Amino acid sequence: QVQLVESGGGLVHPGGSLRLSCAGSGSRFSNAIVSWYRQAPGEQRDLVASISGSSTTYADSVKGRFTISRDNAKNTLSLQMDSLQPEDTAVYYCDILEPMGRHYWGQGIQVTVSS
């Protein structure tokens, strides 16, 4: 079975940094599109960043502040978040879209940016 487990969230002050990690089992990140999404209270789930092969994409709201990376040897996905702002507060989800079209989500992890 495919399982994704996020870690690294928490509370940070505006301007601070956090690094999220997603550990995958049952599926290889190297042969899939892996992504971070986030969902704020009362809002839809939005794409934050994706990586496929050597290509990365970012939402306009996080460009220049967030960096997505993948470690194929460890089968781990990371999101380095710098210059965090209150509007970044959300539950962040790790996602994998396998080549066969299966879509799997982690349980989500809370990121809160507040003074």
Side-chain angles (χ1 to χ4, degrees), residues 2 4 6-8 14 28 30 34 48-52 54 56 66 68 75 84 89-90 92 97 101 103 108 114:
V2 176
L4 305 175
E6 300 99 334
S7 62
R28 296 177 180 176
S30 61
V34 283
V48 177
S50 293
I51 184 167
S52 178
S54 61
T56 59
F66 291 10
I68 189 171
N75 212 45
L84 284 162
T89 296
Y92 284 69
L97 179 60
H103 185 79
S114 176

Side-chain angles (χ1 to χ4, degrees), residues 6-11 17-22 81 109-111:
E6 300 99 334
S7 62
L11 175 66
S17 298
L18 286 173
R19 185 175 180 88
L20 303 182
S21 295
C22 174
M81 304 184 294
I109 188 164
Q110 180 70 47
V111 172

Side-chain angles (χ1 to χ4, degrees), residues 39-44 89-91 110:
Q39 187 168 20
E43 303 293 332
Q44 69 179 36
T89 296
V91 176
Q110 180 70 47

Side-chain angles (χ1 to χ4, degrees), residues 8 37 54 65 78 82 87 95:
Y37 286 75
S54 61
R65 299 190 298 119
S78 297
D82 298 320
E87 54 264 35
D95 168 77

Side-chain angles (χ1 to χ4, degrees), residues 91-113:
V91 176
Y92 284 69
Y93 297 89
C94 178
D95 168 77
I96 179 170
L97 179 60
E98 293 186 316
M100 291 183 62
R102 288 291 183 118
H103 185 79
Y104 300 95
W105 299 93
Q107 81 284 358
I109 188 164
Q110 180 70 47
V111 172
T112 302
V113 185

